[in-house]
Amino acid sequence: MASSHPSAAPGAPRALSGLLPFLRPYRGRIALALLFLLLAALATLAFPLALRTLIDGGLGGTRADRSAQALALRGHFGALFAVAVALGVFSAARFYMVSWLGERVTADLRNAVYAHVLRQSPQFYETTQSGEVLSRLTTDTTLVQTVVGSSLSMGLRNAVMGVGALAMLVWTNPRIMAIVLMMLLLVVLPGMWIGRRVRRLSRASQDRVADSSAIAAEVLNAVPVVQSYTAEPREAARFAQATQNAFEAAVRRTSARAVLVAFIIIANAALLLWGLYRGTEAVLAGQLSAGHLGQTVVYVALLAGAVAVLGEVYGDLLRAAGATERLMELLASESAVSSPARPQPLPVTGQGLAVAFERVGFHYPSRPTQAALRDFSLELAPGETVALVGASGAGKTTVFQLLQRFYDVDPGVVGSAAGRICLNGVDLRDLSLEALRSHIGTVPQDAVIFSASALENIRYGRPGASDAEVFAAAQAAFAHDFLLALPEGYATFLGERGVRLSGGQRQRIAIARAMLKNPPLLLLDEATSALDAESERMVQAALDSAMQRHTGQRTTLVIAHRLATVQNADRIVVLDQGRIVEQGPHAQLIALNGVYARLAALQFTA
């Protein structure tokens, strides 16, 4: 995956510029937050001035003017309280605005990354684990939220206060502050050097956390297999090792950051004490008033505190920069398959879809030296039912994936001829992905059930379908009776991945989903593989009747491992190592006494 900031060092603060597109829609709120931030900083900077006036004007005088002095004290304390009220109001407003921005930007970022990942082709998931994506959607976006909703605001506020305090100190004590500025360089430069190490370790720590998340996501989706092989201790040990690696990386990051914090605190304490010492000497020498000294001390404290907070914020920025960089990498990744800039319409005649594979060759990106299809040519007439058979790895599933354009065919196959796949004469690559896939219905071998009710699982095929249409599709797939028998009928929650159902029940829901969509092109990937003998007969009868009711209106392509389920297909195509070796009706292929006849003899004899 390409980074959107190739020139930035990994985890550099400038990687946060990737958040700018998510901040721009809220320019008005950002301006308000900055206004309140500035007002709060000015209120803080006004406090030392009020304190100086209190010390020099309210605490001086003689015993004879005690009443006037008391009245003056009330006025000075009233001014101090007014400053405190202003500080509280402006700080609260700033806190609300930046917290809202943090939550909003984080939500927008999560939505953008998730929507982008959903549009990636399967090639993306050959190199990226889903657990890593989940880690970026959760852990990394939480770090971004911390920065946008808290750290960045604190950093800006302390930067304003630090600059303001520095300006006041330079104005009131120019000679002393010339030395203070030189000492600040002694604080900043080593801090930046330590910060670079923190930055590198932050990125490494986040990567290790993603590794453990990827392991957990993989294993939790395969708990029955893990338990059947009594591999719980092994998997627990593997996860423990991953978390240990994450812990060690976090400890290294925390150690480096602790050194940074300790250095900043000690250096700033030395700076503050030095300023106080020089100021006390000036008071004793009669060069400064007590109020002036108090003002200077508070400004030095504000400056030192601002530098300390900025050091903390810088550490947060480094972590968030690494997280932002990882998220921007996801957003910058481009799908290998996308809709054309000017898609062509798909001609639909009501007679089904004509499918044509023209000299197609294909290599999976993860297996570039092994051809999945070789010079593959096949035509399906509208309304025809064609079955693909052959040994595992022959290329049957690849045909389905190319037809749905999860992958694109190789650019050239034989000589300079380019392979292509057409629907009703239009190259798939000239159609929008939405238009293409809206005309195709699929029943996979491994039925996918979502964490929702049975009604919503079937309606997934056509979200706008009425309840009556859902019930009709379930009846056609012989799922209606067992769904009514569930505790809450069609409203029953089926659990994650349909764990409350048997394999056959899940498969019938998947078939009902495809029937509800009612597409002109139906792809059945061994749709009855998970059914018992009785259910298989019912569902096969339902599929046969569905295809017969739509004769001439639906083209059906079937992957079959059990040849008995496709004997009535219009044509059977036999694949071997990515090539078509035989095709024809069942009886004709049996008479050829070739590959299909040998497969049939093995299965039917058994």
Side-chain angles (χ1 to χ4, degrees):
M1 294 180 294
S3 171
S4 58
H5 300 279
S7 61
R14 60 181 175 272
L16 291 170
S17 61
L19 297 177
L20 290 178
F22 298 93
L23 291 169
R24 286 194 189 101
Y26 310 109
R27 288 187 291 267
R29 287 182 176 268
I30 293 173
L32 277 176
L34 291 175
L35 174 62
F36 290 133
L37 181 149
L38 180 61
L39 291 174
L42 290 176
T44 304
L45 292 172
F47 188 85
L49 293 174
L51 181 64
R52 176 183 178 179
T53 305
L54 170 65
I55 296 173
D56 288 344
L59 298 180
T62 64
R63 291 179 180 271
D65 55 0
R66 285 289 178 87
S67 59
Q69 186 181 22
L71 186 62
L73 275 175
R74 284 196 293 270
H76 292 309
F77 276 105
L80 283 173
F81 181 70
V83 172
V85 170
L87 178 60
V89 171
F90 296 142
S91 296
R94 173 193 61 83
F95 174 77
Y96 173 79
M97 295 301 298
V98 297
S99 296
W100 187 95
L101 283 169
E103 297 288 350
R104 184 67 265 168
V105 169
T106 302
D108 291 347
L109 183 58
R110 279 196 183 111
N111 292 339
V113 172
Y114 185 67
H116 185 76
V117 167
L118 285 180
R119 292 192 293 269
Q120 297 301 305
S121 69
Q123 181 177 342
F124 172 83
Y125 295 98
E126 290 184 15
T127 55
T128 305
Q129 293 178 300
S130 58
E132 181 181 350
V133 175
L134 292 176
S135 174
R136 298 190 186 193
L137 281 172
T138 52
T139 306
D140 290 353
T141 52
T142 300
L143 288 174
V144 171
Q145 178 183 352
T146 300
V147 167
V148 177
S150 175
S151 298
L152 194 58
S153 169
M154 288 177 58
L156 289 174
R157 177 174 176 270
N158 281 276
V160 172
M161 285 200 308
V163 171
L166 186 61
M168 292 299 294
L169 286 169
V170 170
W171 178 49
T172 56
N173 301 281
R175 187 169 59 85
I176 295 177
M177 286 314 301
I179 303 174
V180 171
L181 288 176
M182 293 177 61
M183 295 183 66
L184 275 177
L185 292 178
L186 300 178
V187 176
V188 172
L189 294 179
M192 293 180 64
W193 179 79
I194 300 173
R196 280 197 292 268
R197 177 167 173 78
V198 174
R199 180 180 67 217
R200 292 192 298 269
L201 293 175
S202 296
R203 176 64 188 255
S205 176
Q206 289 155 217
D207 288 340
R208 298 295 77 73
V209 171
D211 291 343
S212 61
S213 298
I215 292 174
E218 179 183 31
V219 173
L220 290 177
N221 284 329
V223 167
V225 175
V226 172
Q227 294 177 347
S228 68
Y229 283 92
T230 63
E232 298 96 328
R234 279 183 287 156
E235 293 299 343
R238 190 159 70 102
F239 182 78
Q241 183 59 51
T243 54
Q244 179 65 22
N245 293 339
F247 169 75
E248 292 173 357
V251 167
R252 289 192 294 270
R253 169 182 56 79
T254 304
S255 299
R257 189 168 177 184
V259 171
L260 178 62
V261 170
F263 174 78
I264 290 174
I265 291 176
I266 294 171
N268 280 300
L271 185 62
L272 175 60
L273 291 173
W274 181 86
L276 181 60
Y277 170 73
R278 292 303 301 269
T280 305
E281 283 187 331
V283 171
L284 293 175
Q287 298 172 351
L288 286 178
S289 68
H292 196 164
L293 174 61
Q295 172 188 298
T296 301
V297 169
V298 175
Y299 277 132
V300 172
L302 288 176
L303 177 59
V307 174
V309 172
L310 287 173
E312 281 287 313
V313 169
Y314 185 61
D316 290 338
L317 289 178
L318 293 175
R319 292 190 68 198
T324 302
E325 190 175 48
R326 285 156 50 89
L327 290 167
M328 292 304 111
E329 284 177 358
L330 280 183
L331 286 175
S333 60
E334 297 182 3
S335 177
V337 175
S338 59
S339 297
R342 296 183 178 179
Q344 294 186 22
L346 176 62
V348 179
T349 62
Q351 299 298 315
L353 293 179
V355 181
F357 290 79
E358 301 176 4
R359 308 182 74 180
V360 169
F362 178 70
H363 295 71
Y364 283 100
S366 58
R367 303 190 297 274
T369 60
Q370 181 182 354
L373 290 180
R374 308 166 188 268
D375 198 17
F376 181 87
S377 296
L378 176 67
E379 293 187 3
L380 282 73
E384 187 179 16
T385 297
V386 175
L388 301 178
V389 302
S392 297
K396 305 183 295 296
T397 301
T398 301
V399 171
F400 274 27
Q401 292 185 322
L402 292 178
L403 195 51
Q404 296 173 87
R405 208 178 164 218
F406 292 148
Y407 297 90
D408 275 334
V409 301
D410 292 344
V413 183
V414 180
S416 60
R420 65 173 188 161
I421 305 172
C422 297
L423 289 183
N424 283 356
V426 180
D427 193 318
L428 296 189
R429 291 166 293 194
D430 295 329
L431 299 171
S432 73
L433 293 176
E434 183 179 1
L436 167 66
R437 294 168 184 169
S438 67
H439 288 82
I440 300 176
T442 306
V443 179
Q445 184 174 0
D446 184 13
V448 175
I449 302 298
F450 298 97
S451 298
S453 67
L455 187 72
E456 293 306 315
N457 263 283
I458 297 175
R459 188 176 275 139
Y460 199 84
R462 184 153 54 91
S466 65
D467 289 356
E469 291 173 316
V470 172
F471 299 154
Q475 287 174 334
F478 289 86
H480 183 70
D481 292 340
F482 84 78
L483 288 176
L484 284 181
L486 294 175
E488 299 177 43
Y490 277 79
T492 302
F493 178 71
L494 301 182
E496 185 177 5
R497 304 179 71 195
V499 294
R500 299 184 180 184
L501 302 177
S502 69
Q505 290 172 332
R506 290 197 295 269
Q507 197 72 340
R508 278 181 275 175
I509 288 179
I511 293 170
R513 183 188 298 155
M515 287 185 170
L516 181 65
K517 186 176 183 180
N518 193 24
L521 177 59
L522 181 61
L523 307 180
L524 305 176
D525 187 355
E526 195 59 68
T528 61
S529 63
L531 306 182
D532 55 71
E534 181 179 358
S535 298
E536 179 181 346
R537 284 195 297 271
M538 291 190 297
V539 174
Q540 189 63 49
L543 291 172
D544 289 343
S545 64
M547 290 184 285
Q548 290 170 5
R549 286 197 302 270
H550 295 87
T551 299
Q553 299 178 14
R554 174 180 295 160
T555 306
T556 306
L557 192 58
V558 185
I559 290 178
H561 297 103
R562 284 183 276 186
L563 304 184
T565 63
V566 293
Q567 292 185 63
N568 296 326
D570 298 324
R571 186 158 39 112
I572 297 172
V573 176
V574 184
L575 277 70
D576 184 34
Q577 296 184 356
R579 297 179 183 273
I580 296 177
V581 293
E582 295 175 355
Q583 59 177 310
H586 171 76
Q588 179 182 334
L589 293 179
I590 291 293
L592 284 177
N593 198 28
V595 176
Y596 180 83
R598 288 195 296 273
L599 291 173
L602 288 173
Q603 290 194 19
F604 296 146
T605 301

